[in-house]
């Protein structure tokens, strides 16, 4: 995993951790990434798949993948 | 305007709404009840002679010059201390009064040097004026015992103190007490031996506790305390009202000029942010504008290994445009981006983001708010509906309980701090949540009722624990919540905070705050009357910065402290125009007025106006730009007025990102640290050399007015315009007012703003629109901007930055009074007299463990890097915590800080870095290498040739 991908995985995990109290943490995480991340960052996290992502971050990536 | 001192009404205005009518010298005058006779006379146009009175200070009644006669009363009372009353008849000039005043003045003058013609205050001296006003023509007393011939104190770099000229009116002492609130000055001795002293008898002004705000100099009626510049240059001949370019308080000043030479900056009494006060930076530290290191000619180079080559503006623009186009064609348009400046005007910032969106064709624009208050924008937008503070500064006068969290206003926002301290001295309660014992915790006549010295990184836990107390003890304002907020969201939040895991006792091992103390603070805040929260970067610069802002908003809503004077959520913004830079659409996901770039309707407005198609996807933030640069997908950066190499975290990563770019354009005053990696340098202009507007922390839009010709030849908005034109854009603005007109038609919250309206009103607080044509001092008065206030659950998530055996201490960083941000400006002024280098504050216990003492060189290292600096042993920091500033590039404190950041905004976690410290012999290898690189990179070909 490149340094940048590692950073993005950490960021996604951090977003998910902080949105854990939302009614649908994975959807909230996906929405946050959609609203604030540049397309190349989104592409990288989609490519990262399960590598290092926590549960909700992984689900968020799957939601983004389907959009 | 031609030079004329601001009118002095003698005593402060009364805020009473009840009016009284009295007769002064045969003319009726109506004034608010509580006004002095002196003020009433001045309002009417009669200036009663005075020396010890000035309208920035409470009346004192010592000089006996302002005597008047009142029908039906005996004697000749002092007009400054006698209130105007209904039906009163006053005479300000009678033979008796004339005789008394002449006698008083004769005594003053008998002990004053009669060197008026060579005195620096000649023509601007109240003693001289009053001698004329009372008709003094001769002095009968001898000069056997006088105060003349005493030694001057010239220790302060900005002003002199000449005790020989002092008339012991105490205006300076009272200004230090009442206006500044430092209480450094005192009247030493009694009677004839009375003498102004800056602290202890052994102190001079420089070594004393004086903070050099200059209030004493401004209050002095003679040449006793006078600016060195006036001594050197002479008195001013014209003045221009403008706005300070330092912190987010946004003080307005009269720039007092002689020709194009700035003589002095005098705080403007009508300034609504500062009401005639200032700090050492705004009043005195503007010498950088003419500093010899200022770059005034454009420069280019193909590689950073080459020396700079000076070129004409046209060649610089053509080269920059050709490079940007080349890179866009080779790597794609998304390889370009830019950074707007929180130090530049709204108009300049708006143009930079427009250039990037409309010219570069992407949204890769960000601003220095990324590294300071981006969580404020996120947090307050989501909870209240507006990315800004809720109050004006005047609101603090109505606060009963002031909660200061993660802010050190006496250093970072000194003029507002003076205002806050005045309210505290008048009885308001104070809660300070900060790892350090800041000056607000305990200083003369100020003592926090509760200081919660939390462990850095646990803000959310502390605020949630306070919310726990408020909800579980039935202290929440349910009426307010039911009326203003979504009740279901509140209930969900209340259930969360009420959970035992959020009790102060449960969280005590995490926060290191005694549960009893936290409970007492929470009770005070919830039940002490109007509660106002002020916060700074100690809130935002954390991995949970946005959560903390939302937790603050939750606390304010839960206690009903939003929507009226005396309450609210008040972010103390760091830089002069950080609010404005955010308002102007500097974030990669937002257009001006905080509308998301994916909002098709908002985008269409801009597309129609600019005749372009905008990218609906958000762009890169600053840290993401640097990551992308290292990855090879981001190749060109235009940076206006921002030194990311010194100010952004993890310096090595920033330098790697910059080094990976093919075109870095730095537009600045000096060859800053970022310019070490630049290929094009466009000289910038100072705030003294441009027209425009700044928006301060209270959303107040104020005029910046040009007082001198830019020495680089162009204002910054003109530089950006020429760059845009070289890129093929057909911009044709002839004045910043036209840019503001464009901002106004594209930004609903600025709909009613124009330069004409600002000239008319002095300032305007956004939103300014049909619903609020004169602006909005207080937000959310009848309801939240978003409709219902939104409670958001903020769960405490510990930072990934952990202490351990290798890095057992926590480093937190901050600012000091005499310096501003990376110090690019203040390091080039006499302010270095107070802070020549960054120091590392270490608790005595930690110092003893390591055998360190004050002044020792200390190696400070983290997993990111290491630097060295000198130690200062102090109990201002708690055991286990060390603290430093980031004002000096020789230290580069950000070599040590990490890439961890706020979860929502990527605002860096400057406030929490795990570190170790140890004794050192001097600069680290990295510091020495960096110094060599800087020297190499700053070479200018013409200077090398001239030297050969």
């Amino acid at each position: 995993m490149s340094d940048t991908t590692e950073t993005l995985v950490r960021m996604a995990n951090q977003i998910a951790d902080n949105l854990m109290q939302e009614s649908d943490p994975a959807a909230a995480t996906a929405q946050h990434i959609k609203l604030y991340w540049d397309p190349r960052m989104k592409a990288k996290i989609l490519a990262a798949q399960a590598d290092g992502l926590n549960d909700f971050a992984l689900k968020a990536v799957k939601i983004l993948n389907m959009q | 305007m031609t030079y004329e001192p601001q009118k002095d009404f003698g005593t402060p205005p009364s805020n009473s709404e009840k009016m009284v009518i009295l007769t002064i010298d045969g003319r009726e005058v109506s004034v608010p009840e509580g006004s002095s006779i002196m003020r009433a006379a001045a309002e009417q146009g009669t200036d009663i002679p005075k020396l010890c009175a000035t309208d920035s200070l409470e009346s004192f009644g010592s000089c006996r010059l302002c005597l008047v006669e009142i029908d039906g009363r005996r004697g000749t009372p002092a007009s400054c201390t006698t209130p105007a009353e209904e039906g009163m008849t006053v005479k300000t000039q009678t033979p008796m009064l004339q005789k008394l005043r002449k006698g008083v003045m004769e005594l003053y003058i008998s002990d004053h040097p009669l060197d008026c013609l060579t005195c620096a205050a000649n023509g601007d001296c109240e003693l001289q004026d009053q001698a004329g006003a009372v008709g003094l023509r001769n002095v009968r007393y001898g000069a056997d015992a006088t105060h003349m011939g005493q030694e001057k104190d010239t220790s302060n770099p900005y002003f002199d103190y000449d005790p020989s000229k002092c008339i012991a009116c105490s205006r300076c002492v009272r200004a230090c007490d009442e206006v500044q609130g430092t209480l450094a000055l005192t009247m030493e001795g009694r009677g004839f031996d009375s003498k102004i002293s800056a602290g202890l008898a052994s102190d001079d002004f420089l070594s004393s506790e004086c903070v050099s705000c200059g209030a004493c100099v401004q209050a002095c009626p003679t040449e006793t305390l006078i600016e060195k510049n006036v001594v050197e240059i002479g008195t001013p001949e014209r003045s221009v009202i403008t706005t300070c370019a330092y912190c987010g308080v946004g003080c307005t000043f009269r720039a007092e000029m002689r020709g194009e030479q700035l003589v002095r900056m005098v705080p403007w009494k009508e300034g609504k942010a500062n009401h005639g006060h200032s700090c050492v930076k705004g009043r005195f530290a503007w010498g950088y504008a003419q500093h010899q290191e200022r770059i005034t000619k454009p420069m280019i180079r193909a590689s950073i290994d080459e020396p700079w080559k000076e070129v004409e503006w046209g060649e610089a623009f053509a080269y920059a445009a050709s490079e940007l186009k080349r890179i866009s064609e080779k790597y794609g348009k998304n390889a370009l981006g830019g950074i707007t400046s929180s130090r530049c005007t709204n108009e300049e910032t708006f143009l930079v983001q427009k250039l990037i969106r409309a010219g570069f064709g992407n949204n890769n624009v960000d601003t220095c708010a990324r590294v300071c208050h981006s969580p404020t924008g996120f947090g307050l937008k989501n909870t209240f509906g507006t990315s800004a503070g809720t109050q004006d500064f005047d609101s603090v006068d109505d606060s009963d309980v002031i909660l200061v969290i993660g802010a050190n206003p006496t250093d970072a926002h000194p003029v507002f701090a003076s205002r806050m301290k005045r309210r505290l001295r008048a009885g308001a309660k104070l809660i300070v949540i900060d790892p350090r014992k800041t000056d607000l915790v305990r200083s003369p006549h100020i003592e926090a009722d509760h200081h919660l010295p939390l462990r850095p990184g646990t803000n959310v836990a502390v605020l949630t624990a306070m919310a726990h107390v408020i909800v579980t003890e039935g202290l929440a304002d349910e009426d307010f919540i039911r009326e203003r907020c979504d009740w279901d969201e509140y209930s969900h939040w209340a259930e969360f905070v009420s959970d035992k895991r959020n009790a102060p006792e449960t969280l005590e091992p995490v926060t290191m705050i005694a549960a009893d103390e936290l409970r007492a603070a929470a009770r005070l805040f919830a039940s002490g009357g109007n509660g106002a929260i002020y916060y700074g970067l100690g809130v935002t610069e954390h991995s949970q910065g946005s959560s903390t802002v939302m937790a603050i908003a939750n606390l304010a809503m839960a206690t009903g402290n939003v929507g009226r004077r005396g309450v609210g959520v008040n972010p103390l913004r760091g830089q002069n125009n950080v609010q404005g830079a955010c308002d102007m659409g500097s974030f990669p996901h937002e257009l001006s007025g905080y509308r998301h770039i994916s909002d098709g309707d908002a985008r269409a407005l801009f597309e129609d106006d600019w005749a372009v198609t905008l990218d609906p996807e958000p762009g890169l933030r600053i840290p993401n730009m640097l990551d992308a640069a290292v990855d090879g997908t981001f190749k060109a950066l235009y940076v206006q007025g921002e030194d990311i190499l010194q100010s952004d975290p993890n310096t090595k990563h920033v330098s790697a990102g910059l080094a990976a770019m093919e075109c870095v354009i730095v537009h600045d005053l000096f060859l800053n640290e970022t310019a070490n990696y630049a290929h094009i340098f466009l000289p910038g202009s100072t705030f003294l050399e441009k027209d425009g507007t700044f928006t301060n922390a209270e959303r107040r839009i104020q005029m910046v007015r040009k007082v001198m010709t830019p020495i680089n030849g162009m204002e910054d908005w003109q530089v950006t315009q020429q760059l845009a034109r070289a890129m093929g854009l057909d911009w044709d603005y002839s004045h910043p007012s036209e840019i503001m007109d464009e901002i106004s038609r594209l930004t609903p919250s600025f709909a009613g703003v124009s330069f004409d309206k600002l000239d008319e009103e002095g300032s305007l607080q956004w939103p300014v629109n049909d619903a609020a044509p004169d602006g909005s001092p207080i937000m959310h008065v009848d309801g939240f901007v978003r409709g219902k206030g939104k409670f958001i659950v903020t769960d405490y998530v510990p930072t990934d930055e952990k202490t351990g055996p290798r890095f057992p201490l926590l480093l937190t960083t901050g600012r000091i009074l005499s310096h501003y941000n990376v110090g690019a400006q203040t390091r080039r002024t006499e302010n270095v007299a107070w802070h020549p280098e960054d120091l590392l504050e270490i608790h005595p216990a930690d110092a003893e463990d390591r055998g360190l003492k004050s002044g020792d060189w200390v190696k400070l290292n983290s997993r990111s890097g290491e630097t060295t600096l000198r130690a200062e042993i102090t109990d201002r920091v708690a055991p286990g915590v060390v603290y430093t500033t980031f004002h000096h590039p020789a230290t580069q404190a950000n070599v040590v800080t990490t890439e961890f950041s706020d979860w929502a905004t990527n605002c860096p976690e400057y406030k929490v870095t795990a570190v170790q410290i140890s004794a050192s012999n001097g600069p680290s290898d990295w510091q020495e290498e960096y110094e060599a690189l800087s020297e190499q990179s700053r070479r200018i070909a013409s200077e090398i040739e001239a030297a050969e």
Side-chain angles (χ1 to χ4, degrees):
Chain A
M1 195 167 13
S2 76
D3 282 355
T4 308
T5 304
E6 216 170 279
T7 301
L8 295 174
V9 167
R10 191 184 65 240
M11 284 165 58
N13 288 342
Q14 206 187 348
I15 294 166
D17 286 344
N18 277 276
L19 295 174
M20 200 71 83
Q21 297 295 329
E22 293 290 312
S23 54
D24 186 345
T29 303
Q31 180 66 4
H32 188 92
I33 291 172
K34 186 180 173 190
L35 284 175
Y36 298 104
W37 285 24
D38 162 271
R40 79 196 81 176
M41 295 163 69
K42 290 173 194 160
K44 276 209 161 199
I45 200 75
L46 294 184
Q49 291 296 340
D51 214 3
L53 290 168
N54 65 29
D55 286 351
F56 285 119
L58 182 59
K59 283 181 191 165
V61 167
K62 286 179 179 162
I63 293 170
L64 287 168
N65 236 336
M66 287 187 292
Q67 289 177 349
Chain B
M1 82 172 69
T2 53
Y3 184 74
E4 193 178 304
Q6 279 203 272
K7 183 172 173 65
D8 187 345
F9 292 84
T11 62
S14 162
N15 293 327
S16 173
E17 288 177 7
K18 186 179 173 192
M19 303 298 281
V20 295
I21 297 173
L22 67 161
T23 303
I24 300 176
D25 295 337
R27 285 186 293 156
E28 276 194 355
V29 58
S30 173
V31 293
E33 190 176 46
S35 302
S36 69
I37 291 175
M38 177 181 280
R39 175 120 201 158
E43 300 268 5
Q44 184 206 47
T46 301
D47 292 328
I48 299 173
K50 63 178 179 60
L51 280 173
C52 72
T54 186
D55 57 13
S56 60
L57 305 173
E58 293 301 322
S59 54
F60 195 53
S62 79
C63 76
R64 311 306 295 167
L65 210 60
C66 70
L67 310 176
V68 292
E69 290 182 13
I70 303 171
D71 282 5
R73 293 199 189 179
R74 289 194 304 170
T76 50
S79 63
C80 65
T81 53
T82 308
E85 291 176 14
E86 182 69 30
M88 194 178 245
T89 300
V90 179
K91 290 190 181 68
T92 69
Q93 184 73 5
T94 68
M96 166 68 83
L97 293 173
Q98 191 181 2
K99 186 178 171 190
L100 288 170
R101 287 180 189 145
K102 210 185 271 190
V104 169
M105 184 54 82
E106 193 177 354
L107 286 168
Y108 276 118
I109 297 299
S110 70
D111 190 10
H112 195 83
L114 299 176
D115 59 351
C116 292
L117 286 180
T118 54
C119 176
N122 187 21
D124 188 23
C125 171
E126 291 183 45
L127 187 69
Q128 190 181 46
D129 294 344
Q130 300 304 333
V134 304
L136 184 72
R137 297 293 174 258
N138 63 331
V139 175
R140 293 166 293 169
Y141 308 114
D144 303 335
T146 70
H147 295 89
M148 290 182 247
Q150 295 182 76
E151 195 182 341
K152 283 186 187 178
D153 176 353
T154 58
S155 60
N156 187 288
Y158 295 117
F159 60 85
D160 293 340
Y161 167 52
D162 181 357
S164 303
K165 302 275 175 81
C166 181
I167 59 170
C169 65
S170 287
R171 275 165 61 163
C172 54
V173 177
R174 290 181 286 136
C176 193
D177 295 356
E178 297 174 26
V179 179
Q180 168 57 26
T182 295
L183 296 94
L185 302 187
T186 189
M187 186 68 82
E188 183 187 297
R190 292 185 192 172
F192 188 79
D193 295 329
S194 298
K195 184 181 174 186
I196 302 302
S197 170
L200 302 172
S202 56
D203 281 327
D204 57 22
F205 266 87
L206 186 62
S207 65
S208 75
E209 290 184 348
C210 165
V211 292
S212 287
C213 68
C216 56
V217 178
Q218 190 175 342
C220 180
T222 69
E223 195 219 14
T224 308
L225 287 159
I226 192 161
E227 297 93 343
K228 281 181 158 66
N229 253 20
V230 175
V231 175
E232 195 178 308
I233 301 169
T235 49
E237 49 86 23
R238 69 185 172 100
S239 69
V240 181
I241 307 295
T242 192
T243 305
C244 180
Y246 279 119
C247 79
V249 174
C251 297
T252 42
F253 283 86
R254 281 160 53 101
E256 300 196 343
M257 311 291 297
R258 179 156 283 281
E260 282 216 325
Q261 186 168 21
L262 179 55
V263 177
R264 64 183 172 191
M265 295 286 272
V266 179
W268 191 38
K269 289 198 287 191
E270 273 69 43
K272 289 178 183 164
N274 58 318
H275 298 286
H277 189 37
S278 70
C279 75
V280 61
K281 295 190 284 287
R283 189 192 293 262
F284 295 124
W286 37 265
Y288 67 87
Q290 274 80 40
H291 195 276
Q292 59 183 6
E293 287 173 7
R294 181 118 177 244
I295 304 293
T296 58
K297 291 181 183 164
M299 303 189 294
I300 60 174
R301 59 184 173 186
S303 150
I304 64 166
D305 300 326
E306 296 175 7
W308 287 104
K309 176 186 158 200
E310 291 175 336
V311 294
E312 295 302 317
W313 277 106
E315 186 179 345
F317 291 131
Y319 181 66
S322 71
E323 278 296 278
L324 293 169
K325 285 179 187 167
R326 177 186 68 78
I327 290 168
S328 183
E329 282 163 18
K330 185 173 175 186
Y331 299 100
K333 64 180 182 166
N334 290 331
L336 276 55
I339 300 174
T340 73
S341 175
S342 295
R343 297 171 203 178
C344 289
T345 64
N346 285 318
E347 295 72 19
E348 288 161 347
T349 302
F350 187 83
L351 282 199
V352 172
Q353 64 89 34
K354 179 175 177 179
L355 170 64
I356 291 157
R357 296 190 202 281
F360 294 3
N362 63 50
N363 294 307
N364 293 332
V365 55
D366 208 357
T367 188
C368 13
R370 174 66 48 213
V371 297
C372 64
H373 267 287
S374 50
T376 290
F378 182 88
L380 297 184
K381 177 86 183 279
N382 280 290
T383 49
F384 294 167
T386 304
S387 298
T390 62
Q391 310 296 116
D392 60 5
F393 290 140
D394 288 354
S395 165
V396 78
D397 292 346
D398 290 310
S399 298
D400 300 308
V401 182
I402 298 171
L403 192 163
V404 179
I405 173 168
N408 184 10
T410 53
D411 278 40
H413 303 87
V415 171
F416 175 67
S418 292
R419 192 76 186 276
M420 182 188 279
K421 289 203 291 186
R422 191 186 306 178
R423 177 66 198 128
L424 293 169
R425 290 197 303 275
K429 304 290 185 188
L430 174 66
I431 301 164
V432 175
I433 305 177
D434 200 290
R436 294 172 73 227
K437 280 183 202 160
T438 58
D439 284 350
L440 275 183
V441 173
R442 187 174 163 81
S443 57
H445 293 266
I446 301 290
E447 182 153 21
D449 298 86
H450 301 284
H451 175 215
L452 310 184
L454 78 175
R455 179 179 168 81
T458 63
N459 283 329
V460 169
V462 169
L463 292 167
T464 305
M466 287 181 75
H468 174 94
V469 176
I470 289 165
V471 172
T472 57
E473 295 190 10
L475 301 173
D477 186 343
E478 293 198 356
D479 290 343
F480 177 92
I481 297 162
R482 283 185 189 281
E483 184 189 335
R484 298 290 195 89
C485 307
D486 184 299
W487 182 258
D488 290 341
E489 285 166 353
Y490 167 73
S491 301
H492 175 57
W493 173 80
E495 187 184 347
F496 169 78
V497 300
S498 300
D499 192 292
K500 201 177 171 189
R501 72 186 166 111
N502 290 317
E505 292 74 14
T506 314
L507 289 169
E508 188 174 319
V510 173
T511 62
M512 307 302 284
I513 302 296
D516 286 353
E517 187 68 6
L518 189 145
R519 279 188 180 274
R523 288 173 193 139
L524 174 63
F525 183 73
S527 57
N530 283 342
I533 305 175
Y534 291 86
Y535 73 87
L537 305 181
V539 157
T540 55
E541 292 175 345
H542 285 276
S543 64
Q544 284 201 289
S546 293
S547 301
T548 312
V549 173
M550 293 189 287
I552 286 170
N554 291 338
L555 209 60
M557 289 189 289
T559 52
N561 280 312
V562 185
R564 63 180 189 279
R565 283 176 60 85
V567 299
V569 174
N570 303 274
L572 293 169
R573 299 282 191 161
Q575 304 203 45
N576 53 313
N577 199 37
V578 68
Q579 178 70 58
C582 298
D583 300 342
M584 292 299 102
S586 295
F587 287 138
H589 66 280
E590 277 175 343
L591 294 160
S592 63
Y594 304 99
R595 289 158 297 165
H596 200 276
I597 192 71
S598 63
D599 176 345
D601 291 341
R603 224 172 43 247
L605 262 179
F606 288 81
E607 288 176 337
D608 286 350
D609 204 90
W610 296 351
V612 294
T613 301
L614 296 177
D615 187 341
E617 286 285 343
L620 293 166
R621 301 161 172 173
I622 296 171
N624 314 140
M625 290 179 196
L626 296 165
D627 289 342
V630 172
D631 270 1
T633 64
F634 189 83
K635 291 289 183 182
L637 183 68
Y638 169 38
V639 193
Q640 183 180 70
E642 164 83 342
D643 191 357
I644 57 172
L645 189 67
Q646 193 182 339
S647 66
D648 286 32
N650 196 349
T651 307
K652 287 180 185 170
H653 183 60
V654 178
S655 58
L658 288 168
M661 296 181 202
E662 293 183 10
C663 177
V664 174
I665 304 170
V666 167
H667 178 181
D668 216 305
L669 301 175
F670 303 102
L671 278 173
N672 59 20
E673 307 311 306
T674 306
N676 287 341
Y677 292 90
H679 307 87
I680 297 162
F681 187 90
L682 303 174
S685 51
T686 72
F687 77 110
L688 298 167
E689 301 163 331
K690 60 172 76 164
D691 286 311
T693 59
F694 291 153
T695 307
N696 77 353
E698 41 168 12
R699 296 169 280 103
R700 190 181 298 284
I701 309 157
Q702 304 186 109
M703 295 295 295
V704 178
R705 295 186 178 90
K706 183 155 73 173
V707 303
M708 59 181 68
T709 308
I711 61 173
N712 59 325
M714 270 196 236
E715 298 178 39
D716 290 332
W717 65 271
Q718 292 172 307
V719 173
T720 305
Q721 169 157 282
Q722 291 304 320
L723 179 58
R725 289 175 68 86
M727 292 283 292
L729 299 168
D730 62 346
W731 295 3
D732 194 20
Y733 304 102
S734 62
H735 190 266
S737 60
E738 296 168 10
I739 305 170
M740 178 53 86
D741 292 342
E742 182 172 321
I743 294 165
S744 159
R745 70 174 176 265
L746 292 173
T747 315
S749 51
F750 276 64
V753 180
S754 68
F755 276 33
D756 285 346
K757 176 102 174 164
L758 285 165
D759 279 336
E760 197 179 300
E761 300 289 333
S763 67
L764 292 163
Q765 285 174 272
W766 67 257
V768 187
N769 49 30
D770 288 345
D774 296 324
S776 313
I778 310 286
M779 297 284 287
H780 318 297
V781 173
D782 298 317
F784 286 96
V785 168
R786 71 181 302 280
K788 292 284 187 185
K790 185 178 176 67
F791 280 88
I792 296 176
V793 171
T794 54
D795 199 3
Y796 169 61
V797 178
T799 171
D800 288 336
E801 180 71 0
K802 312 283 187 202
T803 53
R806 281 182 65 209
F807 304 113
L809 304 172
L810 283 179
L811 167 73
T812 183
T813 62
R815 300 166 189 225
I816 199 163
L817 171 68
S818 51
H819 282 297
Y820 173 72
N821 206 271
V822 294
Q825 290 133 299
T826 47
R827 279 186 284 106
R828 293 178 171 96
T829 70
E830 299 295 335
N831 277 25
V832 289
W834 288 279
H835 188 81
E837 60 185 324
D838 292 320
L839 299 171
L840 186 71
E841 290 187 2
I842 308 168
H843 189 271
D846 293 320
E848 192 176 336
D849 285 349
R850 294 162 177 80
L852 298 169
K853 56 184 190 303
S854 282
D856 283 355
W857 280 103
V858 177
K859 185 167 79 172
L860 172 72
N861 62 344
S862 72
R863 60 183 174 78
S864 291
E866 69 175 44
T867 187
T868 55
L869 66 176
R870 290 185 192 277
E872 183 179 9
I873 313 304
T874 172
D875 66 357
R876 280 169 71 91
V877 287
V881 176
V882 292
Y883 168 87
T884 190
T885 50
F886 61 104
H887 301 308
H888 292 270
T891 313
Q892 289 277 20
N894 284 317
V895 171
V896 177
T897 54
T898 71
E899 71 282 11
F900 288 151
S901 64
D902 173 45
W903 67 270
T905 65
N906 280 144
C907 181
E909 192 178 37
Y910 291 112
K911 303 297 184 185
V912 186
T913 307
V915 295
Q916 178 59 294
I917 56 173
S918 55
S920 169
N921 292 327
S924 66
D925 291 346
W926 187 87
Q927 282 169 295
E928 286 177 351
E929 285 164 20
Y930 184 76
E931 192 181 344
L933 171 85
S934 291
E935 204 171 304
Q936 158 102 354
S937 184
R938 288 182 177 148
R939 291 170 302 150
I940 298 173
S942 61
E943 290 178 2
I944 298 171
E945 283 162 21
E948 283 170 356

